[in-house]
């Protein structure tokens, strides 16, 4: 504490509205506003050092929550890839991925206002071997683009089936797409209710 | 943004300097970055999230990412392993054994002084069982019981998880065998039942498994 006090202090600008809201939270928690703000800044810096964007953290934590609720586990990617290499095209295996996606889709459709955005974040969290995940929206149409330099053709098929299942659960039907080594590009249209 | 009212607040200079560097690296101003941080904190608060817990969870996610794990629904994981197991028990066990071996070698090689000048693992490098226990505990969320106990030259591991299928129990058991055997242990006793794995190992002085695992 003494060491902190010895450190220099500086003034910085902030939006008045935001500062008032943060000050209110610190008061509700019984903490000094200055200390509370410094803690926030320190946490933001640590999160940045870990390679995450502070703005995405709430989504990321929501995903962890979804994974826990639905009963997920961290599994070795090498074993996953080995199974995929040996049994990737097995129809029963593909069906498992579709069904699993559907379970996620139904859950996030019922729980979140924007399930597409949640699914996009979820794919980032679940499949760390994906370099890019993007959901492009155009009215009733959504195009998912997943890119990975390490994704095999069969791995991309698994991912595509999972995505199809998830979008089906959310209420979209597949229109078309392209699945190849390193890329899954799928287009969906909202089902008429 | 132009009409937005601004206020000043006072904070530690070192923190603000670091924030300023972070802002520059992202092509933003300090004002924008600080505002974003505050907005996120408010979003956390409205969701009932604690930023400190968030930091812990992010650290864990990052660490698991770097250690080669991905998130998967347990049911799906169990089913795809069962299908693969039915197709080829031998190949499935081979993959899990190799994953266990890889884990042990990774943990052993992360111990200071474990790598000799020639780049191979030193003979005295020994798997820290607490590291193994922590790794298992952090990756399997629904463990009812996990213990890795060391007594002299013996190591006893107990893993109980009612959600593990018969096939997955056998595969996880093989994974543990891979980890222990690559670390110079030999199995004295192995018991595998659905959701219930118990192994007893004894440490061999001349540990093999130093090559090919990395």
């Amino acid at each position: 504490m003494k060491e902190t006090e010895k450190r220099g202090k500086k003034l910085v600008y902030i939006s008045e509205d935001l500062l008032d809201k943060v000050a209110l939270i610190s008061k509700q928690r019984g903490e000094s506003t200055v200390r509370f703000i410094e803690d926030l800044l320190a946490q933001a810096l640590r999160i940045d050092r870990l390679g995450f964007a502070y703005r995405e953290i709430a989504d990321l934590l929501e995903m962890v929550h979804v994974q826990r609720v639905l009963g997920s586990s961290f599994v070795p990617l090498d074993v996953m890839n080995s199974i995929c290499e040996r049994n990737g095209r097995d129809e029963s295996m593909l069906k498992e991925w579709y069904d699993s996606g559907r379970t996620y889709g139904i859950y996030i459709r019922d729980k979140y206002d924007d399930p597409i955005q949640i699914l996009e974040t979820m794919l980032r969290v679940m499949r760390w071997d994906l370099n890019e995940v993007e959901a492009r929206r155009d009215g009733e149409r959504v195009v998912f683009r997943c890119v990975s330099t390490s994704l095999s053709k069969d791995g991309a098929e698994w991912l595509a089936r999972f995505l199809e299942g998830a979008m089906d659960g959310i209420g979209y039907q597949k229109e078309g797409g392209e699945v190849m080594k390193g890329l899954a590009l799928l287009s969906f249209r909202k089902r008429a209710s | 943004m132009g009409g937005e009212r601004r206020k000043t607040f006072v904070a530690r200079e070192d923190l603000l300097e670091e924030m300023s560097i972070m802002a520059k690296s992202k092509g933003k101003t300090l004002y924008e970055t600080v505002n974003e941080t505050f907005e996120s904190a408010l979003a956390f608060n409205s969701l009932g999230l604690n930023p400190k817990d968030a930091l812990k969870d992010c650290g864990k996610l990052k660490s698991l990412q770097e250690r080669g794990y991905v998130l998967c629904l347990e049911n799906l994981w169990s089913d795809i392993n069962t299908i693969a197991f039915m197709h080829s028990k031998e190949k499935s066990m081979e993959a899990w054994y190799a994953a266990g071996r890889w884990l042990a070698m990774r943990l052993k090689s992360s111990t200071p002084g474990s790598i000799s000048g020639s780049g191979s693992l030193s003979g005295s490098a020994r798997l820290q069982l607490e590291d193994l226990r922590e790794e298992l505990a952090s990756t399997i969320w629904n463990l009812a019981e996990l213990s890795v106990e060391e007594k002299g030259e013996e190591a006893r591991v107990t893993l109980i998880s009612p959600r593990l299928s018969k096939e997955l129990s056998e595969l996880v058991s093989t994974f543990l065998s891979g980890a222990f055997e690559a670390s110079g242990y030999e199995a004295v006793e192995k018991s595998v039942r659905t959701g219930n794995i118990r192994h007893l190992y004894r440490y061999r002085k001349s540990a093999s498994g130093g090559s090919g695992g990395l």
Side-chain angles (χ1 to χ4, degrees):
Chain A
M1 185 69 186
K2 278 184 180 172
E3 198 188 322
T4 309
E5 283 168 358
K6 274 184 209 165
R7 287 177 185 148
K9 300 272 185 181
K10 213 174 161 183
L11 283 169
V12 68
Y13 281 107
I14 175 79
S15 136
E16 184 177 25
D17 179 47
L18 285 174
L19 185 58
D20 290 345
K21 284 178 181 162
V22 166
L24 187 67
I25 297 172
S26 68
K27 269 184 200 148
Q28 284 166 350
R29 294 188 184 179
E31 293 178 40
S32 100
T33 305
V34 172
R35 191 62 188 267
F36 185 76
I37 287 172
E38 286 182 344
D39 278 351
L40 282 184
L41 298 181
Q43 282 149 13
L45 287 167
R46 267 182 258 148
I47 285 171
D48 182 67
R49 272 185 227 121
L50 286 169
F52 295 104
Y54 200 66
R55 301 184 78 130
E56 287 179 359
I57 298 301
D59 286 343
L60 205 69
L61 294 180
E62 268 304 302
M63 285 313 96
V64 173
H65 173 72
V66 171
Q67 300 286 344
R68 280 185 197 270
V69 168
L70 294 178
S72 293
S73 204
F74 286 99
V75 303
L77 181 59
D78 275 353
V79 176
M80 174 91 86
N81 287 340
S82 161
I83 296 173
C84 183
E85 205 177 290
R86 289 181 285 116
N87 310 277
R89 286 163 204 211
D90 185 308
E91 218 19 77
S92 54
M93 200 71 93
L94 290 167
K95 188 181 176 300
E96 293 293 345
W97 280 94
Y98 181 89
D99 291 345
S100 171
R102 206 159 180 279
T103 304
Y104 276 106
I106 291 170
Y107 180 79
I108 61 177
R109 177 199 67 196
D110 293 344
K111 193 166 159 60
Y112 298 98
D113 294 336
D114 188 354
I116 305 286
Q117 190 246 315
I118 294 288
L119 179 62
E120 190 184 346
T121 311
M122 183 180 280
L123 286 169
R124 283 207 188 98
V125 176
M126 281 177 69
R127 297 296 306 259
W128 281 310
D129 49 339
L130 291 178
N131 305 100
E132 290 173 41
V133 182
E134 186 188 9
R136 283 186 208 155
R137 296 179 216 216
D138 179 13
E140 301 281 276
R141 201 164 162 251
V142 179
V143 176
F144 261 95
R145 182 173 164 273
C146 304
V147 181
S148 165
T149 47
S150 60
L151 199 62
S152 65
K153 166 83 172 74
D154 292 340
E157 286 288 353
W158 277 11
L159 176 64
R161 288 296 179 101
F162 176 84
L163 207 44
E164 280 175 48
M167 288 299 277
D168 181 39
I170 291 172
Y172 284 75
Q173 64 187 43
K174 191 181 154 194
E175 268 190 336
E178 192 84 52
V179 180
M180 62 177 77
K181 185 176 181 291
L183 178 81
L185 193 63
L186 296 170
S187 162
F188 301 91
R189 184 169 291 276
K190 197 168 191 174
R191 269 196 306 265
S193 49
Chain B
M1 196 86 169
E4 189 177 62
R5 286 172 63 90
R6 297 179 180 198
K7 254 186 183 175
T8 54
F9 73 88
V10 67
R12 267 170 41 202
E13 197 171 3
D14 59 326
L15 283 175
L16 290 173
E17 271 166 18
E18 274 191 76
M19 287 297 285
S20 189
I21 293 168
M22 184 174 107
K24 268 186 199 153
S25 73
K26 297 178 194 314
K28 292 180 178 174
T29 63
L30 178 63
Y31 178 75
E32 284 170 328
T33 307
V34 170
N35 276 350
E36 279 176 13
T37 302
F38 278 36
E39 280 165 7
S40 301
L42 292 170
F44 278 16
N45 191 59
S46 66
L47 289 167
L49 296 169
N50 181 336
K52 280 180 188 158
D53 294 341
L55 188 63
K56 211 169 107 191
D57 279 351
C58 286
K60 190 181 164 189
L61 279 171
K62 181 76 177 172
S63 162
L64 287 164
Q65 170 191 10
E66 287 168 353
R67 285 185 269 160
Y69 291 96
V70 288
L71 268 169
C72 186
L73 270 188
E74 276 182 350
N75 287 348
L76 172 66
W77 186 235
S78 179
D79 290 346
I80 65 172
N81 271 286
T82 302
I83 294 169
F85 191 89
M86 297 301 183
H87 280 301
S88 170
K89 179 177 175 179
E90 196 184 309
K91 290 246 166 66
S92 287
M93 293 181 83
E94 216 173 81
W96 277 87
Y97 188 85
R101 213 178 128 81
W102 181 84
L103 168 65
M105 300 304 279
R106 179 169 64 70
L107 293 175
K108 274 170 73 175
S109 60
S110 65
T111 312
S114 60
I115 301 172
S116 71
S118 62
S120 58
L121 267 179
S122 103
S124 59
R126 197 164 165 177
L127 175 68
Q128 299 299 309
L129 295 183
E130 183 51 27
D131 293 345
L132 178 66
R133 197 201 65 76
E134 270 181 28
E135 182 97 9
L136 294 171
S138 63
T139 52
I140 310 174
W141 281 345
N142 294 302
L143 281 172
E145 190 185 324
L146 170 70
S147 68
V148 183
E149 293 163 359
E150 200 170 14
K151 203 172 178 186
E153 295 296 285
E154 282 189 347
R156 187 181 293 277
V157 53
T158 306
L159 191 154
I160 300 172
S161 177
R163 291 206 195 180
L164 287 182
S165 65
K166 180 176 173 288
E167 291 81 9
L168 207 49
S169 300
E170 209 168 317
L171 292 168
V172 172
S173 166
T174 307
F175 174 81
L176 291 173
S177 299
F180 277 91
E181 285 167 21
S183 307
Y185 286 89
E186 60 186 354
V188 176
E189 215 178 284
K190 281 186 191 176
S191 154
V192 188
R193 279 176 288 149
T194 304
N196 191 329
I197 302 162
R198 291 168 197 273
H199 289 188
L200 176 65
Y201 292 93
R202 185 170 296 124
Y203 190 65
R204 281 181 281 120
K205 297 289 177 193
S206 53
S208 63
S211 62
L214 288 171

